[in-house]
Amino acid sequence: MADRHIKDFLNFLADNPDQEKRFDENPDRVMTEFGLTADQQKIVKHGTLKQIRKIIKGETSSGFDVYMIKMK
Amino acid sequence: MAAGGQDRTGSLTIVGGGIRAGLHLTQEARVRIERASKVLYLLAEHAPAAWIARLNPSAESLAPLYQPGRDHAEVYEALVNAMLDWVRRGEDVCVVTYGNPAVLDQSSHEAVRCAHAEGFPAKILPGISAMDCLFVDLGLDPGEEGLQSFDATDFLAFRKAPDTSVPLILWQISVIGDTRTGGTVNREGLRILGERLTELYGEDHEAIVYEATPFPVGRPLIESCLLKGLAEAEVSGMSTLFVPPASKATPDPAMVELLAASDAFHAE
C-alpha cells in the first residue's frame, strides 16, 4: 500500500510544475514533505525507468499491460 | 461553417501532452483542456494522468479501446469514432494525446479530417514529441549532420536506403510488422531489422535503444547495442532506435566553389 505514494507523488509533480522545480533542486526535502518513506525516496531518486514503470504498473488495479502505441 | 453553410455546434481540438506527463503541456493546450466541455485522453502507458482530471473533471481515458489482441485498424477507427461522437453531440471536445498528435498518429489526423468533412471546426495543437526529447537526451542537433527518420516497419517494408553518413531514427521498433495491439515486443521483427541494418552499416556498428521518460522523475533509457544483437536488446513498447552515422559526409568541391562564388556575389 505504501507504494501507492510513489504514483501519487508522480501525479503531484506532474500537476505542479513549481514542485517539480523544487524537486529538481532539493529532491529529499520535497519527497519528505510529501511523506515518502526512505525506501520510496531511494526508488524515486535512483530507480531506472524500468523500475519506476514496474511500480506504477503494480499499483494499477486494471493490470492493463498494453502500451498505447500510436498508429500510423 | 458546415457543408451547406450552416454553423454547427461542437468542435474538436487535439492537443499534445508531451512526453513528461503534465510538465510538457503548453499554455495553449492547457487553456484548451480547461475550457473544453468534454476531455478525452490517451497517454502512452500508466503515466500520471490525474492532472488532466484536475484541469477538467470531464476527462475520460480512451485507453480501454486498446484491448490486447485487437486489430490496429479497428482500434484506430474506434478512436476516431470516440472523438467524433462527442463532437456530434455538440460538445467542444479536447483530446489530449501523448507527444505531438501530428507525429506518427494517423487517428488524430483522421479525426480532424472527418470533423472538417462534417462541418465542425477542428485542429491539432503541437506538443513535445519523443523526437524532441531524443534531441536533448542524446545531444543530437539535426542541423549538424542532418536527420533521417522512419517508422521501423515502413523502413523494412519499403526497403528504404538510408544515407549512412546521416543519423537515422527508427520509430516503433517493438511492433515491427504487427497488425494487432499487444503487450509484448516482437523479437522476430527486431531480428529482421537488425539484419537489414547490419547489411547497411556493418555488424560491429553500434546503435542506441532510446526511451524518453514519461515520468516527472528518473532518467531516460539509453542503451547501446550492436546491430547484430538488436533482437536481444532491452526494448520496451516505447523504445526508439537511434543509429549514428557510419561515416562522415564529404562536401562536393564543385558545389562548395559555386556557393563561395554565390556568397561573394551576394556580398557585392
Side-chain angles (χ1 to χ4, degrees), chain A residues 10-11 13-15 17 20 23 44-46 49-50 52-53 56 60 62 64-72, chain B residues 20-21 23 43-46 48-51 54 63 66 68 72 98 100 104 106 154 172 211 216 234 237:
Chain A
L10 297 182
N11 265 312
L13 292 185
D15 205 24
E20 195 271 342
F23 173 80
V44 171
K45 272 174 76 175
H46 307 295
L49 181 53
K50 196 176 170 183
I52 293 172
R53 180 173 279 144
I56 301 256
T60 305
S62 69
F64 202 75
D65 192 26
V66 177
Y67 290 102
M68 275 63 82
I69 295 168
K70 290 181 175 181
M71 291 166 292
K72 57 161 291 300
Chain B
R20 293 181 77 198
L23 300 172
L43 301 184
E45 52 180 308
H46 293 298
W51 60 273
R54 273 195 279 277
Y66 270 83
H72 275 160
Y98 64 97
N100 185 336
L104 286 165
Q106 213 178 54
D154 284 356
Q172 301 183 333
E211 196 175 335
E234 185 160 333

Side-chain angles (χ1 to χ4, degrees), chain B residues 59-80:
Chain B
E60 185 183 326
S61 173
L62 294 172
L65 297 176
Y66 270 83
Q67 290 139 344
R70 226 176 151 187
D71 189 86
H72 275 160
E74 192 187 317
V75 174
Y76 155 85
E77 193 180 336
L79 285 171
V80 173

Side-chain angles (χ1 to χ4, degrees), chain B:
Chain B
M1 191 71 78
Q6 290 179 318
D7 285 327
R8 297 185 68 172
T9 57
S11 67
L12 176 65
T13 307
I14 305 179
V15 305
I19 301 299
R20 293 181 77 198
L23 300 172
H24 280 176
L25 197 66
T26 65
Q27 187 60 26
E28 65 173 351
R30 181 178 291 270
V31 169
R32 292 288 177 154
I33 295 170
E34 286 172 340
R35 293 186 183 169
S37 60
K38 180 65 185 174
V39 170
L40 302 168
Y41 66 92
L42 184 65
L43 301 184
E45 52 180 308
H46 293 298
W51 60 273
I52 301 176
R54 273 195 279 277
L55 287 177
N56 191 319
S58 77
E60 185 183 326
S61 173
L62 294 172
L65 297 176
Y66 270 83
Q67 290 139 344
R70 226 176 151 187
D71 189 86
H72 275 160
E74 192 187 317
V75 174
Y76 155 85
E77 193 180 336
L79 285 171
V80 173
N81 285 334
M83 297 178 206
L84 288 176
D85 278 352
W86 286 101
V87 176
R88 291 175 189 132
R89 289 183 215 177
E91 303 289 350
D92 287 319
V93 179
C94 180
V95 180
V96 187
T97 73
Y98 64 97
N100 185 336
V103 176
L104 286 165
D105 186 356
Q106 213 178 54
S107 61
S108 290
H109 287 291
E110 182 62 17
V112 167
R113 271 193 294 269
C114 289
H116 281 158
E118 294 182 28
F120 296 107
K123 65 176 170 183
I124 292 175
L125 299 181
I128 294 176
S129 71
M131 186 169 342
D132 296 309
C133 296
L134 182 148
F135 290 155
V136 172
D137 291 332
L138 299 187
L140 175 70
D141 183 343
E144 286 189 5
E145 294 177 293
L147 183 68
Q148 303 165 100
S149 165
F150 301 101
D151 168 81
T153 300
D154 284 356
F155 178 79
L156 291 169
F158 293 93
R159 209 167 175 81
K160 299 289 185 186
D163 179 339
T164 57
S165 70
V166 176
L168 171 68
I169 298 176
L170 295 173
W171 303 99
Q172 301 183 333
I173 60 171
S174 68
V175 290
I176 293 169
D178 285 0
T179 57
R180 292 182 174 275
T181 56
T184 57
V185 173
N186 183 344
R187 294 280 162 191
E188 180 59 10
L190 276 178
R191 186 191 63 74
I192 295 167
L193 178 62
E195 275 186 11
R196 173 66 180 142
L197 290 172
T198 299
E199 281 172 24
L200 295 162
Y201 289 85
E203 63 176 19
D204 293 328
H205 195 69
E206 277 196 355
I208 292 172
V209 176
Y210 168 79
E211 196 175 335
T213 177
F215 306 118
V217 301
R219 298 173 300 280
L221 203 141
I222 300 171
E223 294 284 342
S224 295
C225 74
L226 291 173
L227 292 175
K228 63 182 177 185
L230 187 58
E232 290 80 43
E234 185 160 333
V235 167
S236 87
M238 304 310 294
S239 296
T240 296
L241 190 69
F242 172 70
V243 186
S247 59
K248 282 273 178 201
T250 51
D252 171 6
M255 182 56 76
V256 170
E257 199 175 317
L258 188 64
L259 292 174
S262 162
D263 181 40
F265 180 76
H266 189 222
E268 280 177 10

